[in-house]
Structures are given as structure tokens and as C-alpha cells.
Amino acid sequence: MTPTPTGPPATFRLVGRPGSGPPGLRVLISGEYGDTGRDAGPAVVTGAGQARTVPGAGPWTATRSVMVQRLPTATAVIIQDDKHPGTPVTVRPDRGPAVRLGPGLDTVVAARGGGFIAADSGWVQLPGRLVSYTPTGQLRWERLLVRSTLVQRDTPYGLLAEVVADPQNSGVGELLLIDARSGQLLRHIGAASQVLASTDEKVAWIPTGCDTPPRSCALAVADLRTGEERRYDLPGGLAPGAAAFSPNEAMLALSFAGQHSFVAKGDPDGYVSVLSLVTRQFERMPGLTTGAKQAPTLGWDAGGELVLGVNVDDRFDRLLLWSPGMPGLIVLPAKLPRYTAATYLAVLPP
């Protein structure tokens, strides 16, 4: 028997200067995963370190799973509770009263022209549901999903959705543009094992099969208007854990998790790199490496600076700030509950 190859273990390192974010910076973060008996729900953190809990998300208990999902002008709070399975999804617009949608939903996107499209993706049991709501939460229409479907974004060119061919195999899916109400296929984009990021004009994903040795992962980016697709070789051939398009969509930030010692290829340390979609060049962010299975979360502010969430030695999380070309990163002041910013991060509009 051939022995399992080994290598150096991934190591966490953080070197940066303390500082605050630009005026008006506000970052939405997740609740503290796995902690019980505390009001440790999702929160909004400023660049100066002040934190305010998102209303309606706590307390965090052993039977609840609380997720946040940022929409362009609202925040959706999705609560899945073993003891109260009928808990509705709450959408909190940046302005105006909260809106309550139906229960059993796991994804919400903003509908073009106003309102929301929400899905029960069908992961637990098929059929799932795709539901359209008005801006005030009134039901517009509903249709069944006969295949497990993850809804990504309602774009000018159709509803961007990842349709999983086999509910038992979440790694194989088809990335599609569909007509939301009828389900009619508008365009087949590609086979996808992981959708990384999307805008109204672009989508980035990892094609199916990149985890099959000895094949290395490539990054695919498609223009939703034209259907044109470009492929980019990834450093070390490993798939990133997260990605985010820059505001001008000319760059894509990529976050790579640290690797266990038995993974033979690639850099064992986790890191963040920014890909220029124009020049095809990568720029690695200095001052941070992460341990095994740890991939920093990513978001861009309106000024083109990258905001990152990282877990520090399994004790707490920090927010970091960096932009391409900067020689070092800035460590924002707030010490946050563990696996909050490092689990989910979205930069709110100023």
C-alpha cells in the first residue's frame, strides 16, 4: 500500500497595523455558530468597532440555525428551528418596516422590479418550492421545484440558479438562467461544482470535476449578457472557498483555505489573492495565512477596498481591510465572537 503523502501543516499568521475603516463602513456578520444560550445572533459592525445585533435573529439556541443573507437594499434573516419548523423568513429593508415571508424557505433574492423571490431548495425533501412575493410580503405566485435548486440572483437576463442533478450529490450541478415563473430554460451556462460569486452581469464558478485527481481546478467566469466564458488557472490547482467581484467587476477576490498535512499539492497555508480579470494576473494579499479548512470571508466596500473576516486561533474573529497595491493590511478594532465574521460577511451600502 502506498503511504499517504504528507507535508507541512497550515499555519495561522496575522501581521498588520491596527486602524479603523473608512467613515460609513458597516459590515454585516453572521451569528456565533454552535454557541447556545446566548443572544449571539447576526450583527452590523462599524469600521470603528461598534456592533449592533440584527433585530429578530436571537437568541441563539441549540435547536436554531440562524442565517443572514444580504440583498441589495435589505437583509434577510432565515431561522430554521427544530422546535418551531414554521418560523417565517424575515426581510429587513434598509428603510421601512420588516417584511415576513413564508416558512420553510432557505434562500431569498431580490426580485427585479421589486419584491422577493424565495426558495425551499428541496435539499431535505423534494419537491421544493419557488415563491414570489410583493415588497410587502404578499404572495404573487408559487411553483414546485422537481430538482434541488439553489437560487443565486434575479438578473436582467433571467433567474440565475444552480440546479443539482442528484439531491444526494451536492457537488454536481448545472448553472442556468431560467424564467422564474415558468421554469423555462433561457441559457445553459455550465456544469458547476461550486458557485463563487455573481453580479447582475457576471458569474464566477468552479466547473464540475475539479476535485477528481489528477485534474486541477480552473475558475470560470461568464458574461450573463453575451454568454461569453473565460477560464483562469488557479494557484496550486485548488478551489477557493469564497470569492467576491470588485465594484467595477474588473477584479475577483479569492479566498483559499489552509490544507491538512496529508494534502500533497499546493501551498498548505490559506491565503487571499485578487485576480485581475483583464490582465489575468494574481496579487496575493500580504500579512495573513490561515490554518486547515479556514478560508477568510470577503466583501468589497464602495471605494474598492477589500474587507475580510478571519478567525483568530479559534478564540475570536477580526475584520481586516486591504486593497490591491497596499504593502500591508489594516486590522480593524473589534474583537468579534468566533466564527461570526469568518462565517459570513457582507459590506452594507454607506
Side-chain angles (χ1 to χ4, degrees):
M1 178 181 293
T2 303
T4 302
T6 60
T11 304
F12 176 84
R13 299 182 184 88
L14 176 58
V15 179
R17 64 178 179 86
S20 58
L25 177 66
R26 296 180 305 138
V27 181
L28 175 69
I29 64 171
S30 170
E32 185 174 1
Y33 179 77
D35 196 20
T36 60
R38 295 174 53 189
D39 187 4
V44 174
V45 185
T46 69
Q50 286 98 12
R52 176 178 58 85
T53 300
V54 175
W60 197 280
T61 69
T63 64
R64 304 181 100 200
S65 171
V66 183
M67 299 175 289
V68 288
Q69 187 176 343
R70 181 61 192 174
L71 314 182
T73 60
T75 297
V77 180
I78 302 170
I79 298 176
Q80 296 173 335
D81 193 326
D82 293 342
K83 291 187 176 180
H84 303 92
T87 303
V89 171
T90 300
V91 178
R92 299 190 171 276
D94 295 339
R95 295 178 177 83
V99 178
R100 292 170 75 83
L101 309 182
L105 304 169
D106 51 36
T107 308
V108 181
V109 298
R112 295 193 65 80
F116 312 97
I117 295 176
D120 168 3
S121 63
W123 288 113
V124 177
Q125 183 177 357
L126 286 172
R129 297 177 298 132
L130 192 66
V131 192
S132 174
Y133 295 96
T134 68
T136 58
Q138 302 302 308
L139 179 67
R140 279 179 173 144
W141 52 260
E142 178 177 346
R143 70 176 181 87
L144 296 181
L145 296 170
V146 296
R147 299 165 67 192
S148 297
T149 302
L150 298 175
V151 179
Q152 301 289 340
R153 179 181 293 265
D154 191 15
T155 80
Y157 316 105
L159 183 67
L160 182 63
E162 181 187 356
V163 181
V164 179
D166 179 357
Q168 303 303 315
N169 184 358
S170 60
V172 179
E174 296 296 320
L175 190 57
L176 311 173
L177 285 172
I178 61 175
D179 180 270
R181 184 160 189 170
S182 69
Q184 177 186 358
L185 175 64
L186 301 176
R187 181 183 295 148
H188 179 275
I189 298 174
S193 63
Q194 181 186 5
V195 179
L196 294 169
S198 65
T199 70
D200 281 350
E201 302 294 329
K202 287 185 172 68
V203 60
W205 76 99
I206 300 298
T208 296
C210 85
D211 294 329
T212 304
R215 183 177 175 182
S216 293
C217 291
L219 170 72
V221 178
D223 184 308
L224 297 178
R225 181 179 64 85
T226 65
E228 180 185 0
E229 177 189 321
R230 299 183 72 181
R231 295 286 178 102
Y232 302 84
D233 293 330
L234 288 168
L238 295 174
F245 284 102
S246 63
N248 65 3
E249 301 182 13
M251 296 182 291
L252 185 68
L254 300 164
S255 174
F256 296 87
Q259 304 298 314
H260 287 292
S261 59
F262 54 78
V263 177
K265 66 177 183 178
D267 189 335
D269 295 330
Y271 62 95
V272 171
S273 188
V274 173
L275 166 66
S276 168
L277 299 176
V278 178
T279 67
R280 307 179 74 93
Q281 298 299 308
F282 288 88
E283 180 179 354
R284 182 163 170 168
M285 187 186 78
L288 174 69
T289 62
T290 57
K293 295 186 177 180
Q294 297 294 315
T297 52
L298 303 165
W300 296 83
D301 72 6
E305 292 182 296
L306 192 61
V307 182
L308 305 95
V310 62
N311 179 250
V312 180
D313 295 336
D314 200 35
R315 293 174 295 152
F316 54 84
D317 286 4
R318 297 298 293 258
L319 291 173
L320 314 176
L321 196 66
W322 180 74
S323 60
M326 284 178 56
L329 58 86
I330 297 172
V331 182
L332 300 187
K335 283 189 176 182
L336 304 169
R338 60 180 183 172
Y339 303 118
T340 54
T343 298
Y344 180 86
L345 176 155
V347 180
L348 303 182

